[in-house]
């Protein structure tokens, strides 16, 4: 049900209740969808909305709603006192009240309790028609604060929206809304406000989710570029399977955006059909089938089959028919490579893992270990890193810390009569640690999701290959075998990268096609054949984007050879101040050739871009490729649109882990009854409102990712 309903000015609650009394029977039927709820009070809307959704404890919610409505009727009229309403007017569109910009007539959402922050952003930053003077004047009003003499109007509707946002951002259980200390604090801050219960807070959170979802859906509908997705599977501690889907795109301001758009429970068994159905339902729900560009998934056979079936079903509706839809997660492929290498020395790693498991198994054992650590003058630890199978870098972190506490671990094993790694096994671990350290930067680069990574993919592949072929490993038989195993996997997965990632590198002005040619020369044969294929697809994609630009009535840069000659002649003639016979002949010939040529030779944006010299970037320079395209978007309108799509391609699914970490925290052992729909709303809304910070994204996940081991790789 839409959340865009507001009360008309002057309506009183008793009048509304009287008007609605005769409609209670109809509200229990499907006709609820056709009733104009904007004549209802905001809190009464909660009651009917929850009743339709089947939420329990509705009587309690109704009581809360009517009691809280009695506290300050005049505050409702203050909802349009914000300065932004001088630039916004409200109109009813298709039965739903909308906020309409007075300048550009853009329709914006209007919902009680949401506030005006989205309206402020539109007038302050996004409206294309408002004058700069009016914009600056409006922004100045936002910065001003009320003086001590000004009266601050308390709006209970806005306050409930803020409470909902707080519960979402802090990941607080709904039952905390009924905590006596919470109620005491709220009553102290605003005695006239009746603290709402857990059902009301839940309803407010769901309405906030619906409102933010409408705004994001509107952003997708107006997006001229396409959207790339990452998807991953997660199993909760309750053994329930969830599919997380994240959208990646570059907006009009050439800023990379990442939005979690789905976190749904999927049916068991978790077959390729379940994955396909989950992703397809997400695409249909958000109307993104035609906007989908690439889909990055772990290299599991289940995922590969799901993408193939999905392309067979929807390929005709997809951009470029989904020809380069599937991008294999680089972090997962790298994990497959490292896991293949670790099989060479499994016992050494296993011994270290076992002793760490023993030490961290109970608080008393950890305390005994820390006593030894203090005796040795080392730093006391609250715990030791224990790796997880699907993340090779966690194995590196475990070995890195184990080597620092090697002496303490050996002494603990001796004193507590446990088996410690032998000197030979510790030597293997130390050698392995040095080898894996070389891959840490590659993993960080693949895992980044706050800046583009697609154009750096080939550089990271060459860096990994260089490490694997380093002759240093020849001096150690163990590491030499390990590197050989990993190089075999490299050859299997990365000799022929996805064409979309090659084009992303071309769209880096410091690389262009020169680097692609260098890459193919370095790793294999048939360089000319592969370069011809690249240029063929580059031209085909350019033509597709050229159509998009023309549809949107944007200028396209095309310069013919004859036109260039004509302009040169005219320029030279003007500079001399006369028209000599020779140049008139040249000009006439140029026109004749243009009219009689079977095929005019034109230099498109693509030709101009590729022929221009590469820009030089220092090795220590942090080159912002999106900023370069934003600066040059007028010169390259087609290529800049291409760049927005290709540079937004995520090369790994690691961005999904922030959602999995949040799900593990929210769906803890004390919240097992939380419905999948509510869980999705909480995760998505938090991501849309404030995002996940670095600490949250780096937290270990509760539950586990599915299809994360080497056993699940596709050998076809």
């Amino acid at each position: 049900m839409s959340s865009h309903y507001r009360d008309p000015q002057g309506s009183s609650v008793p009048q509304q209740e009287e008007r609605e009394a005769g409609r209670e029977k109809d509200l229990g039927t499907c006709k609820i969808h056709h009733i104009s709820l904007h004549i209802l009070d905001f809190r009464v809307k909660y009651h009917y909305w929850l009743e339709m959704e089947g939420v329990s404890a509705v009587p309690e919610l109704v009581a809360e709603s009517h009691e809280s409505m009695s506290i300050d009727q005049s505050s409702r009229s203050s909802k349009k006192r914000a300065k932004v309403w001088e630039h916004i007017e409200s109109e009813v569109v298709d039965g739903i009240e909308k906020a309409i910009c007075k300048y550009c007539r853009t329709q914006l959402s209007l919902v009680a309790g949401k506030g005006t922050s989205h309206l402020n952003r539109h007038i302050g930053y996004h409206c294309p028609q408002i004058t700069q003077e009016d914009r600056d004047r409006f922004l100045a009003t936002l910065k001003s604060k009320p003086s001590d003499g000004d009266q601050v109007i308390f709006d209970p509707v806005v306050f409930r929206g803020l409470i909902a946002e707080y519960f979402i951002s802090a990941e607080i259980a709904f039952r905390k809304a009924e905590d006596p200390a919470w109620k005491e604090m709220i009553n102290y801050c605003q005695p006239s406000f009746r603290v709402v219960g857990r059902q009301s807070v839940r309803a407010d959170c769901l309405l906030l989710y619906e409102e933010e979802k409408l705004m994001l859906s509107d952003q997708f509908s107006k997006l001229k570029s396409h959207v790339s997705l990452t998807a991953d599977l997660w199993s909760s501690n309750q053994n329930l399977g969830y599919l997380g889907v994240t959208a990646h795109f570059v907006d009009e301001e050439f800023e990379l955006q990442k939005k979690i758009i789905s976190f749904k429970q999927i049916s068991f068994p978790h077959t390729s059909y379940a994955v396909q159905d989950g992703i397809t339902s997400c695409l249909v729900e958000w109307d993104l089938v035609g906007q989908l560009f690439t889909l990055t998934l772990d290299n599991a056979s289940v995922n590969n089959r799901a993408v193939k079936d999905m392309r067979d079903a929807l390929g005709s509706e997809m951009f470029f028919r989904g020809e380069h839809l599937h991008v294999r997660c680089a972090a997962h492929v790298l994990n497959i490579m490292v896991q293949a290498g670790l099989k060479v020395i499994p016992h050494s790693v296993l011994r270290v893992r076992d002793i760490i498991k023993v030490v961290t198994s109970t608080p008393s054992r950890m305390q005994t270990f820390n006593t030894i650590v203090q005796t040795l003058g080392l730093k006391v630890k609250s715990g030791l890193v224990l790796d997880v199978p699907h993340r090779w870098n966690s194995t590196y972190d475990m070995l890195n810390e184990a080597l620092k506490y090697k002496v303490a671990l050996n002494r603990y094993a001796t004193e507590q009569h446990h088996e410690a790694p032998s000197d030979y096994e510790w030597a293997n671990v130390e050698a392995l640690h040095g080898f894996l350290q070389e891959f840490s930067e590659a993993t960080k680069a693949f895992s980044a999701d706050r800046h583009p990574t697609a154009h750096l993919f080939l550089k990271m592949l060459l860096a990994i290959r260089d490490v694997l072929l380093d002759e240093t490993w020849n001096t150690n038989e163990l590491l030499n075998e390990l590197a050989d195993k990993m190089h075999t996997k490299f050859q299997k997965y990365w000799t022929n990268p996805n064409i979309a990632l090659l084009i992303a590198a071309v769209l880096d002005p410091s690389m262009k096609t020169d680097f692609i040619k260098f890459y193919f020369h370095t790793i294999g044969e048939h360089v000319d054949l592969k370069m011809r294929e690249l240029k063929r697809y580059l031209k085909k994609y350019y033509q597709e984007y050229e159509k998009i630009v023309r549809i949107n009535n944007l200028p396209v840069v095309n310069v013919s050879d004859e036109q260039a000659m004509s302009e040169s002649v005219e320029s030279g003639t003007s500079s001399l101040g006369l028209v000599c016979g020779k140049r008139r002949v040249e000009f006439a010939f140029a026109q004749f050739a243009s009219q009689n040529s079977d095929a005019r030779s034109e230099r498109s944006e693509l030709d101009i871009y590729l022929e221009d010299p590469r820009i030089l970037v220092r090795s220590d320079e942090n080159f912002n490729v999106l900023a370069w395209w934003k600066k040059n978007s007028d010169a390259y309108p087609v290529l800049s649109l291409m760049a927005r799509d290709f540079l937004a391609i995520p090369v790994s699914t690691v961005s999904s882990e922030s959602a999995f970490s949040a799900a593990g925290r929210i769906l803890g052992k004390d919240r097992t009854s939380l419905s999948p729909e509510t869980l999705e709303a909480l995760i998505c809304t938090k991501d849309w409102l404030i995002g996940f910070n670095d600490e949250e994204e780096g937290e270990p996940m509760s539950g586990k990712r599915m299809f994360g081991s080497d056993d699940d790789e596709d050998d076809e």
Side-chain angles (χ1 to χ4, degrees):
M1 180 180 295
S2 173
S3 58
H4 295 271
Y5 304 103
R6 298 168 74 90
D7 300 330
Q9 298 292 332
S11 296
S12 64
V13 175
Q15 289 174 336
Q16 294 170 9
E17 293 176 343
E18 183 178 354
R19 284 196 300 269
E20 293 303 312
R23 305 184 185 180
E24 290 180 353
K25 293 182 179 180
D26 290 337
L27 290 176
T29 70
C30 62
K31 294 182 181 179
I32 184 67
H33 297 284
H34 304 289
I35 296 176
S36 179
L37 290 182
H38 66 273
I39 65 174
L40 296 175
D41 176 77
F42 177 70
R43 283 138 183 104
V44 178
K45 180 188 71 172
Y46 275 119
H47 160 53
Y48 292 117
W49 185 86
L50 288 174
E51 187 175 37
M52 186 191 74
E53 294 293 325
V55 178
S56 60
V58 172
E60 176 190 356
L61 175 58
V62 176
E64 292 173 356
S65 300
H66 286 290
E67 286 186 42
S68 61
M69 262 307 297
S70 64
I71 60 175
D72 185 7
Q73 293 295 322
S74 64
S75 66
R76 190 168 30 233
S77 63
S78 68
K79 64 185 177 183
K80 291 189 179 180
R81 292 181 182 176
K83 291 292 183 180
V84 73
W85 290 107
E86 296 176 6
H87 310 272
I88 298 288
E89 58 190 12
S90 61
E91 293 181 9
V92 176
V93 180
D94 297 330
I96 299 175
E97 192 173 5
K98 292 279 190 178
I100 310 295
C101 175
K102 292 181 179 180
Y103 304 99
C104 64
R105 308 305 297 173
T106 296
Q107 296 181 14
L108 302 166
S109 58
L110 193 60
V111 58
K114 178 61 182 71
T116 58
S117 59
H118 63 300
L119 305 180
N120 293 338
R121 287 194 298 271
H122 176 77
I123 297 299
Y125 302 102
H126 302 305
C127 178
Q129 300 297 329
I130 189 173
T131 65
Q132 190 60 44
E133 181 181 357
D134 288 339
R135 191 192 304 275
D136 293 341
R137 188 182 299 113
F138 171 72
L139 289 174
T141 65
L142 296 181
K143 297 177 182 178
S144 62
K145 296 182 179 180
S147 61
D148 295 337
D150 292 340
Q151 182 181 5
V152 178
I153 305 298
F154 174 75
D155 189 335
V157 175
V158 174
F159 190 54
R160 282 183 61 166
L162 293 174
I163 290 176
E165 187 170 338
Y166 171 68
F167 269 70
I168 289 172
S169 64
E171 300 174 357
I172 297 175
F174 295 139
R175 67 176 182 277
K176 295 295 183 181
E178 297 174 351
D179 187 282
W182 166 262
K183 292 183 177 181
E184 183 180 1
M185 181 186 70
I186 298 298
N187 287 330
Y188 179 80
C189 294
Q190 184 54 249
S192 63
F193 180 76
R194 185 185 185 281
V195 184
V196 294
R198 63 180 183 274
Q199 293 291 351
S200 298
V201 173
R202 175 184 177 275
D204 292 353
C205 290
L206 293 178
L207 282 174
L208 186 57
Y209 162 72
E210 292 295 339
E211 168 62 15
E212 292 295 327
K213 183 177 180 180
L214 284 172
M215 293 175 64
L216 181 57
S217 181
D218 184 61
Q219 184 179 8
F220 283 145
S221 67
K222 296 177 180 178
L223 198 65
K224 293 183 177 65
S225 58
H226 296 87
V227 176
S228 289
L229 301 181
T230 55
D232 209 349
L233 288 163
W234 176 76
S235 178
S236 70
N237 289 330
Q238 291 78 36
N239 293 320
L240 299 175
Y242 289 85
L243 177 70
V245 181
T246 305
H248 305 256
F249 60 95
V250 174
D251 62 20
E252 302 290 338
E253 297 299 318
F254 286 81
E255 295 290 337
L256 182 63
Q257 302 291 337
K258 175 179 76 75
K259 305 290 183 182
I260 299 172
I261 60 173
S262 179
F263 195 87
K264 286 184 167 53
Q265 185 177 335
I266 61 173
S267 59
F268 184 85
H270 304 136
T271 63
S272 62
Y273 296 121
V275 176
Q276 177 191 355
D277 293 346
I279 297 174
T280 300
S281 65
C282 175
L283 292 173
V284 173
E285 178 183 359
W286 287 90
D287 194 21
L288 290 176
V289 175
Q291 282 186 274
L292 180 60
F293 186 44
T294 64
L295 175 60
T296 304
L297 295 168
D298 277 359
N299 191 51
S301 56
V302 166
N303 290 337
N304 296 339
R305 286 193 295 271
V307 174
K308 181 180 181 301
D309 292 342
M310 186 169 66
R311 188 184 166 199
D312 290 341
L314 299 174
S316 60
E317 302 177 42
M318 293 179 179
F319 175 67
F320 215 77
R321 301 185 65 84
E323 189 166 348
H324 303 114
L325 173 67
H326 189 193
V327 176
R328 298 176 187 267
C329 173
H332 186 243
V333 173
L334 185 59
N335 181 65
I336 291 174
M337 291 170 53
V338 176
Q339 295 296 340
L342 290 178
K343 291 179 180 178
V344 176
I345 48 174
H347 297 295
S348 301
V349 176
L350 182 62
R351 286 297 180 85
V352 172
R353 185 182 296 122
D354 287 345
I355 188 61
I356 290 178
K357 282 183 178 179
V358 169
V359 171
T360 58
S361 60
T362 64
S364 61
R365 288 180 174 180
M366 195 68 215
Q367 184 177 358
T368 302
F369 175 76
N370 275 325
T371 302
I372 298 173
V373 167
Q374 286 180 312
T375 303
L376 296 173
L378 300 174
K379 185 179 179 181
V380 173
K381 298 287 294 183
S382 59
L384 294 173
V385 176
L386 188 64
D387 67 340
V388 287
H390 65 272
R391 296 175 65 180
W392 77 266
N393 50 317
S394 69
T395 302
Y396 168 77
D397 293 337
M398 179 186 72
L399 299 181
N400 183 56
E401 190 167 66
L403 287 171
K404 293 178 182 178
Y405 290 88
K406 171 184 172 182
V407 176
L409 288 170
N410 282 338
R411 183 166 170 179
Y412 176 89
T414 301
E415 292 181 358
Q416 301 299 319
H417 308 291
H418 292 289
E419 190 172 3
S422 64
D423 291 341
Y424 173 75
E425 288 167 337
W426 277 117
N428 287 341
V429 166
E430 191 166 356
L432 177 63
H433 171 266
F435 181 85
L436 295 181
Q437 190 172 17
E438 300 290 340
F439 296 95
S440 59
E441 289 302 319
T443 298
K444 292 177 182 177
F446 288 152
S447 304
D449 58 14
R450 300 189 181 184
H451 57 78
T453 56
H455 64 301
L456 302 175
F457 180 71
L458 296 185
K459 283 188 176 181
M460 297 314 303
L461 292 194
L462 290 183
I464 292 172
R465 180 181 180 276
D466 186 66
V467 171
L468 294 176
L469 299 181
D470 192 338
E471 294 183 357
T472 304
W473 315 127
N474 294 337
T475 60
N476 185 310
E477 182 179 351
L478 192 68
L479 295 183
N480 186 47
E481 184 180 357
L482 188 151
D484 185 62
K485 293 282 188 183
M486 292 179 64
H487 186 257
T488 300
K489 294 292 184 182
F490 181 97
Q491 293 287 94
K492 175 182 177 180
Y493 292 112
W494 283 337
T495 301
N496 295 299
N498 189 308
I499 286 288
L501 296 177
L502 297 180
I503 295 178
V506 174
L507 292 173
D508 184 331
S510 67
M511 300 168 69
K512 300 191 177 181
T513 54
D514 295 342
F515 192 88
I516 312 300
K517 193 171 185 178
F518 167 70
Y519 175 82
F520 285 135
H521 267 293
T522 304
I523 68 166
E525 304 173 347
H526 310 297
V527 176
D528 293 337
L529 178 63
K530 292 178 180 178
M531 289 301 297
R532 283 197 299 272
E533 182 186 29
L534 169 65
K535 291 179 180 179
R536 178 170 63 88
Y537 277 111
L538 190 57
K539 184 177 180 180
K540 288 177 66 176
Y541 270 111
Y542 176 81
Q543 291 170 344
E544 287 295 321
Y545 281 92
E546 191 175 41
K547 294 176 185 176
I548 296 174
V549 171
R550 292 187 188 279
I551 290 173
N552 288 282
N553 297 318
L554 298 174
V556 178
V557 177
N558 282 309
V559 180
S560 67
D561 292 341
E562 291 82 2
Q563 180 184 350
M565 178 185 291
S566 300
E567 292 173 350
S568 175
V569 171
E570 290 178 324
S571 176
T573 302
S574 175
S575 65
L576 292 173
L578 56 88
V579 180
C580 64
K582 180 181 179 181
R583 285 181 175 162
R584 268 198 272 182
V585 171
E586 289 176 346
F587 181 70
F589 174 70
Q591 288 183 317
F592 174 82
S594 175
Q595 295 169 359
N596 293 276
S597 174
D598 293 333
R600 294 179 60 188
S601 174
E602 287 190 341
R603 296 175 68 238
S604 65
E605 279 183 41
L606 180 60
D607 297 326
I608 297 170
Y609 171 76
L610 295 178
E611 291 171 10
D612 283 346
R614 292 181 295 106
I615 65 171
L616 299 179
V617 179
R618 299 190 310 272
S619 59
D620 60 341
E621 182 180 351
N622 186 19
F623 175 60
N624 189 332
V625 64
L626 289 179
W628 188 92
W629 278 108
K630 180 180 180 180
K631 181 180 178 181
N632 292 275
S633 58
D634 290 338
Y636 302 110
V638 177
L639 288 179
S640 62
L641 186 60
M642 280 183 65
R644 286 171 58 184
D645 283 349
F646 284 91
L647 295 176
I649 299 174
V651 298
S652 82
T653 61
V654 175
S655 59
S656 300
E657 291 190 6
S658 60
F660 297 155
S661 298
R665 294 190 300 269
I666 295 172
L667 201 64
K669 61 181 181 179
D670 298 326
R671 299 185 77 181
T672 56
S673 61
L674 198 66
S675 70
E677 294 77 18
T678 303
L679 177 63
E680 178 185 41
L682 295 177
I683 291 173
C684 290
T685 309
K686 178 174 181 178
D687 180 61
W688 300 340
L689 289 175
I690 61 174
F692 294 96
N693 59 43
D694 293 330
E695 292 181 358
E696 289 173 325
E697 292 185 348
E699 286 185 358
M701 295 179 295
S702 299
K704 59 184 179 180
R705 287 170 64 188
M706 290 183 280
F707 314 139
S709 69
D710 189 25
D711 295 333
D712 294 308
E713 67 168 301
D714 184 11
D715 289 321
E716 295 179 2

